[in-house]
Amino acid sequence: MKKVTTKSVLLLVLLLVIVMPVSAQAPAADEDTLVVGIFTEPVSLDPARVANFNITSLMFAQLYELGQATGSIDPYLATGYTISEDGTEWTFTLNEGLTCHDGEALTAEDVVYTWERVVDPANAFTGNSAGFVIPSLGYVGARADSDLEVTLIFGGPQNVSLRLGLISEIFIHCKDSYEAMSLEDAVRNPIGSGPYSFGEWVTGEYLTMNRVPDFTLRETYFEQIAWRIFPERSTATAELVTGNVDIIKGIGADQIEPINASGIASVISYASTIRAYVGFNMNPDREFSSTPGGQAILETPVRVALQHAVDVVAICTQLLGADCERATGPVNPPNDNASLEPYSYDPALAESLLDAAGYPRGDNGVRFELTLKARNIPGAVGGEVAQAVAQFLSDVGVQTEVEFVENAQFVEQLIARDLGPLFIVSTGGSAWSAQYDLADFPAPDGETNYTGWTNEEFFTLEASLPSLISDPEAERAAEQQMLQAFYEDPPWLLLYAAPLLEAVSSRIEYTPRVDNFLTVYNVSLK
Amino acid sequence: MLQYITRRALLAVLVIIGVTLLTFISIHLSGDPAVLYVSERAGPEELAEARRRLGLDKSLPEQYINFLGGLMRGDLGLSLANRTPALQLVLERLPATLELTIGALILSNLIAIPIGLISAVRRGTRVDGTIMLLAMFGQSMPGFWLGIMAILFFSVTLRIFPVSGHVPVLAPLLAGDWATAIQNLPAGVHHAILPVVTISVFAIARNARLVRSALLEVLGQEYVTTARAKGLTERNVIVGHALRNAMIPIVTIIALEFGFLLSGVIVTESVFAWPGVGRLVFNAIGQRDIPVVQAAVVFFAFVFVALNLVVDVLYAYLDPRVRL
């Protein structure tokens, strides 16, 4: 008998391993499973500490939900609401027969519990719900009027769309389920109220959720949704072009060509609701305030002139791989001021406006110097865009240097208003409320008015908005006037609604939402 | 020997404390962790509240002393991001990283020692030249690039290996679930081949060069000439006399290499979406999740110190002169 050599054994083992069917643990895309590639793993699935809005919104339902259609806010767990005369009490009527995924009946008491759990200091929640939504709403408390009627109590009246939109960011969960859980359990073992129930979470790899058969408030196509986590973008692209992933949100411009060439998937781009801008830091008494550049940007004509110096459309096309329109203000369509024309790219005009403002070129060709603080990240407000903006400004004699700042320091300095004199950043906006977008400028000394802008007309109008709640037309007119004031005295060097690139498998029918959320109601197999 | 080990163990504690202090300082130098736990439109008030809730409102010395107190009790704190015990997060991810590390250690030495030996024995020949040229390439190729190229060629073009992912083998094994471990083994190996090879290439190249130079040094020694003069076969001379003496520096490197591989697989874990400790630490650094970073640092410092100790003991075993 022929002797079996080590070499032949090794070859046999290798062959077996190669031909062995892959019993992959991560779910593969098939007719029942939609696979979505994400780049950051959610740190928590606690509905009160939302780490990934898309994942949470498929497992948990809200009283109202941002609709598929741009700008709509649709009834969800609630069928409707009434508002008290003074605008402080909102009473919602729930659908009958609601349950959480463990079978517990979902009633008004659970809605009260949800809101109180978010604000309970003992839970020490940070992030969007506890840190932004609750204070923005002026939430005071909640009470169950009956099994199906719940009243949310607020400190004062508020624009209806704004309040409803904010309410749509609170995810309802059942009292008995969550009272029985530790905070640690709540992070990893969610018991939801939405169209998909939690399946499995293999940390670092994937998370699955399964369709709830008796959930009738929304129609869904796939039995299972799997979220696969890819820290490296090119790996996600490789999985997409081998047919293992259906949707990847937020791919880089460098991936467009290989994906489109694969024949298996293609890239779509659209303008999101995320607003990208370069801020003029006009806060007094900062390190740069007394520099010539720091002084120059205090002047409206200079800030207007600099708008004309930057070719925003070219930046978008060349660096971000997408076509986009230049913004005219901080509010997204359709709530923006449609009568305003985007500032044109006209360097000659920029130069003449700067001359007229009293900033001629010096002997060295420089009018004044600025520093643009940025993060060295890819995308709409990334390092490349910052460098392009700086070059455009330098071309009209405003010598601009980009200074990269590490992310945590950047955010810290932004909040402390120490970034400047220029900083490039983005801020989440909406398609459903002008006032949500305008909340970046709550008051001249408002916390999120990072530029320290103090336009009197704008802030006077803003202060008048609460008194106009009962007159939507007057309210809308005031918003439009505010946008006009913003346009004429811009605290931002206006860029664009950040274009987003999504890679989509050719096996599915899918239209992305403008707000970049993924609700899967609009996804099906072809 | 016991006294020696005790002294080394005490020194190790100091090393671990020093490493944690440096990590603690460096993380805080790079920004306030609380800013990553507030909403997008946060102001100073929300930031201050987040600091208080995360326990970051205390002074840095106070925070560090609290950490050391916890360390003494074996409590490395809760992750800021998801409130899970930090050490538990590290230990959960450890089996996946060990699979890569052990695989790479075995593969690299299975290949590096024989080819280093062949290269030394055939010094100056074409075989030697070819091996050393390949070794130079192996050491020059960045793991990131190599991983991407491997995916493109073997996974996207040839489609014989999965692009990414992980099928656990060691974790069920450690949990005593032999049936799952065996069931997962083929797919586990299938998924591990590309990342293991990617990690191994550098180690193969370096170790092959190391084996070659160590052997060349030993082959010139008088006792090797004596062994040949005694009429021993060339195989006995090389394996029995030269290789054993050449193994002293090689063992040092191999043992320490385990530590390097363990803590240095971040890039490969990212490219292949492998859910190991490297990626956990990478994400934790990005999120300023100090307890998790500290837990990982303490763990890796402990591994390195322990490996150093093992190396010293092995030295004494391999070279009796060390014991003198």
Side-chain angles (χ1 to χ4, degrees):
Chain A
M1 200 171 126
K2 197 174 178 183
K3 193 180 170 185
V4 179
T5 63
T6 311
K7 189 178 164 186
S8 58
V9 170
L10 281 174
L11 277 173
L12 183 66
V13 169
L14 188 66
L15 192 68
L16 275 173
V17 164
I18 288 172
V19 298
M20 196 80 69
V22 183
S23 63
Q25 301 283 298
D30 60 32
E31 57 186 27
D32 289 329
T33 305
L34 179 80
V35 180
V36 184
I38 53 176
F39 299 118
T40 307
E41 184 166 23
V43 291
S44 164
L45 296 180
D46 191 318
R49 158 87 172 88
V50 179
N52 183 312
F53 196 90
N54 292 326
I55 291 174
T56 307
S57 67
L58 287 183
M59 286 193 287
F60 293 89
Q62 308 98 303
L63 292 173
Y64 267 66
E65 181 188 41
L66 301 180
Q68 290 292 136
T70 301
S72 69
I73 306 173
D74 305 333
Y76 199 2
L77 292 179
T79 55
Y81 62 90
T82 57
I83 307 173
S84 66
E85 265 184 34
D86 65 357
T88 59
E89 296 200 359
W90 286 45
T91 302
F92 290 86
T93 306
L94 300 179
N95 281 288
E96 287 186 35
L98 297 173
T99 55
C100 283
H101 296 159
D102 60 352
E104 182 188 346
L106 194 164
T107 65
E109 190 189 20
D110 298 302
V111 178
V112 173
Y113 171 76
T114 294
W115 283 74
E116 289 300 304
R117 182 171 178 267
V118 172
V119 297
D120 186 349
N123 293 329
F125 287 123
T126 56
N128 189 59
S129 302
F132 174 67
V133 175
I134 293 289
S136 300
L137 282 166
Y139 173 77
V140 173
R143 68 164 185 269
D145 301 320
S146 68
D147 274 359
L148 295 181
E149 291 209 321
V150 60
T151 298
L152 300 177
I153 306 157
F154 304 101
Q158 194 172 27
N159 171 268
V160 171
S161 293
L162 176 60
R163 178 157 282 167
L164 207 53
L166 289 167
I167 288 170
S168 78
E169 294 186 22
I170 298 291
F171 294 97
I172 308 303
H173 39 293
C174 281
K175 182 180 178 182
D176 291 350
S177 325
Y178 275 82
E179 269 189 344
M181 265 191 244
S182 67
L183 286 172
E184 193 182 314
D185 286 340
V187 164
R188 297 191 62 92
N189 302 297
I191 296 173
S193 55
Y196 284 87
S197 64
F198 174 66
E200 185 184 17
W201 182 6
V202 179
T203 50
E205 285 197 83
Y206 62 88
L207 189 153
T208 61
M209 47 182 71
N210 306 310
R211 181 156 67 178
V212 179
D214 50 2
F215 187 89
T216 54
L217 298 178
R218 293 289 182 271
E219 201 175 315
T220 50
Y221 186 92
F222 289 95
E223 286 297 323
Q224 185 183 54
I225 311 290
W227 305 80
R228 288 194 59 189
I229 302 143
F230 300 107
E232 172 50 43
R233 281 164 201 266
S234 44
T235 312
T237 300
E239 290 282 19
L240 182 84
V241 300
T242 47
N244 297 322
V245 171
D246 292 309
I247 300 173
I248 305 172
K249 297 176 83 68
I251 63 154
D254 59 330
Q255 305 288 309
I256 296 174
E257 204 180 315
I259 291 172
N260 285 340
S262 72
I264 286 177
S266 58
V267 176
I268 48 179
S269 72
Y270 60 96
S272 70
T273 54
I274 299 164
R275 298 152 298 154
Y277 66 92
V278 174
F280 295 106
N281 191 335
M282 295 172 277
N283 288 288
D285 305 325
R286 296 303 192 266
E287 200 180 315
F288 47 82
S289 301
S290 57
T291 63
Q295 289 292 307
I297 60 166
L298 296 178
E299 297 183 30
T300 303
V302 170
R303 280 181 271 122
V304 170
L306 296 183
Q307 309 287 336
H308 292 287
V310 180
D311 190 348
V312 173
V313 174
I315 287 176
C316 221
T317 312
Q318 299 300 321
L319 297 180
L320 304 177
D323 296 325
C324 56
E325 278 187 31
R326 187 171 191 177
T328 60
V331 172
N332 287 316
N335 302 308
D336 58 342
N337 186 333
S339 68
L340 300 173
E341 279 293 316
Y343 281 108
S344 59
Y345 169 57
D346 189 342
L349 178 61
E351 296 233 26
S352 65
L353 289 173
L354 286 167
D355 289 340
Y359 292 94
R361 283 183 184 263
D363 294 340
N364 58 356
V366 175
R367 300 171 192 275
F368 53 84
E369 293 178 355
L370 290 172
T371 300
L372 170 56
K373 299 274 184 78
R375 286 166 289 186
N376 200 4
I377 52 174
V381 290
E384 288 186 350
V385 173
Q387 284 171 325
V389 169
Q391 187 57 55
F392 279 119
L393 296 179
S394 298
D395 288 347
V396 298
V398 178
Q399 188 65 43
T400 306
E401 296 291 332
V402 176
E403 185 181 320
F404 289 116
V405 183
E406 194 278 330
N407 184 48
Q409 288 182 335
F410 186 95
V411 178
E412 196 176 354
Q413 289 178 29
L414 180 73
I415 292 171
R417 303 184 184 187
D418 281 336
L419 274 183
L422 303 179
F423 57 91
I424 183 166
V425 75
S426 64
T427 172
S430 73
W432 43 269
S433 165
Q435 291 187 34
Y436 182 91
D437 293 357
L438 288 167
D440 281 299
F441 298 93
D445 59 350
E447 289 188 344
T448 52
N449 180 7
Y450 303 127
T451 60
W453 188 52
T454 57
N455 185 286
E456 197 180 337
E457 184 189 1
F458 181 95
F459 287 108
T460 305
L461 283 163
E462 186 165 54
S464 73
L465 288 175
S467 66
L468 303 174
I469 288 172
S470 56
D471 184 353
E473 272 186 34
E475 198 179 19
R476 177 73 185 142
E479 289 166 2
Q480 297 285 300
Q481 259 182 285
M482 289 168 70
L483 292 173
Q484 182 78 37
F486 187 99
Y487 180 82
E488 290 168 357
D489 177 27
W492 294 355
L493 199 164
L494 291 157
L495 295 180
Y496 34 65
L500 287 174
L501 300 174
E502 289 192 13
V504 182
S505 163
S506 51
R507 81 180 187 116
I508 60 167
E509 203 75 68
Y510 166 66
T511 310
R513 293 170 58 117
V514 69
D515 54 19
N516 194 32
F517 295 138
L518 179 69
T519 37
V520 309
Y521 315 140
N522 55 342
V523 189
S524 62
L525 282 179
K526 276 182 180 166
Chain B
M1 191 62 127
L2 187 64
Q3 193 184 7
Y4 172 74
I5 292 174
T6 309
R7 198 170 65 240
R8 291 298 305 268
L10 287 173
L11 276 172
V13 172
L14 287 178
V15 168
I16 289 169
I17 289 173
V19 169
T20 58
L21 181 62
L22 284 175
T23 314
F24 186 81
I25 292 169
S26 59
I27 285 183
H28 277 88
L29 281 178
S30 62
D32 180 358
V35 301
L36 301 178
Y37 296 89
V38 293
S39 67
E40 192 187 37
R41 290 177 171 174
E45 272 184 28
E46 189 189 337
L47 187 58
E49 180 62 13
R51 281 195 192 108
R52 190 188 64 74
R53 291 181 175 203
L54 296 169
L56 298 166
D57 55 339
K58 299 179 177 70
S59 68
L60 289 186
E62 201 178 342
Q63 286 181 48
Y64 184 68
I65 288 167
N66 286 344
F67 163 74
L68 282 185
L71 182 62
M72 299 303 162
R73 297 190 301 273
D75 172 10
L76 293 174
L78 296 178
S79 157
L80 296 183
N82 60 21
R83 303 175 196 239
T84 309
L87 188 60
Q88 181 191 320
L89 287 174
V90 173
L91 295 178
E92 271 175 11
R93 297 288 193 98
L94 188 62
T97 297
L98 282 176
E99 284 167 2
L100 283 191
T101 310
I102 293 170
L105 198 68
I106 293 170
L107 182 70
S108 62
N109 288 300
L110 273 178
I111 297 174
I113 294 175
I115 64 171
L117 193 147
I118 292 167
S119 191
V121 171
R122 301 195 177 181
R123 184 187 183 185
T125 63
R126 278 187 188 170
V127 173
D128 179 32
T130 308
I131 289 172
M132 286 304 103
L133 187 69
L134 290 174
M136 196 179 70
F137 275 120
Q139 279 192 288
S140 311
M141 278 189 289
F144 179 82
W145 179 84
L146 187 64
I148 299 281
M149 289 302 113
I151 287 173
L152 272 179
F153 186 67
F154 293 106
S155 306
V156 176
T157 307
L158 298 180
R159 305 206 174 199
I160 55 175
F161 292 114
V163 172
S164 65
H166 166 247
V167 179
V169 175
L170 198 54
L173 200 64
L174 293 173
D177 185 358
W178 286 77
T180 304
I182 291 168
Q183 187 192 340
N184 284 356
L185 188 63
V189 172
H190 195 201
H191 277 74
I193 287 177
L194 286 188
V196 164
V197 169
T198 301
I199 298 172
S200 302
V201 166
F202 181 87
I204 290 169
R206 186 183 59 189
N207 292 354
R209 288 165 66 110
L210 183 79
V211 169
R212 179 181 181 270
S213 62
L215 258 176
L216 284 176
E217 196 180 321
V218 170
L219 286 172
Q221 299 290 321
E222 286 179 357
Y223 61 82
V224 173
T225 312
T226 306
R228 285 196 176 112
K230 280 162 66 182
L232 294 179
T233 62
E234 190 62 13
R235 184 191 174 98
N236 277 341
V237 171
I238 300 290
V239 177
H241 291 261
L243 189 60
R244 182 170 176 187
N245 284 291
M247 284 304 282
I248 293 173
I250 296 168
V251 164
T252 313
I253 290 290
I254 289 172
L256 290 179
E257 188 171 284
F258 183 73
F260 283 119
L261 286 171
L262 198 61
S263 57
V265 293
I266 292 177
V267 170
T268 309
E269 286 185 352
S270 293
V271 170
F272 291 96
W274 195 269
V277 184
R279 262 180 66 197
L280 175 77
V281 176
F282 185 76
N283 290 339
I285 290 170
Q287 293 163 346
R288 299 293 181 283
D289 196 342
I290 298 168
V292 174
V293 178
Q294 292 280 33
V297 166
V298 168
F299 179 78
F300 285 129
F302 180 80
V303 168
F304 264 95
V305 168
L307 285 171
N308 267 305
L309 199 61
V310 170
V311 167
D312 288 343
V313 174
L314 272 175
Y315 244 72
Y317 169 74
L318 287 168
D319 188 351
R321 288 172 299 182
V322 175
R323 279 175 287 191
L324 294 175

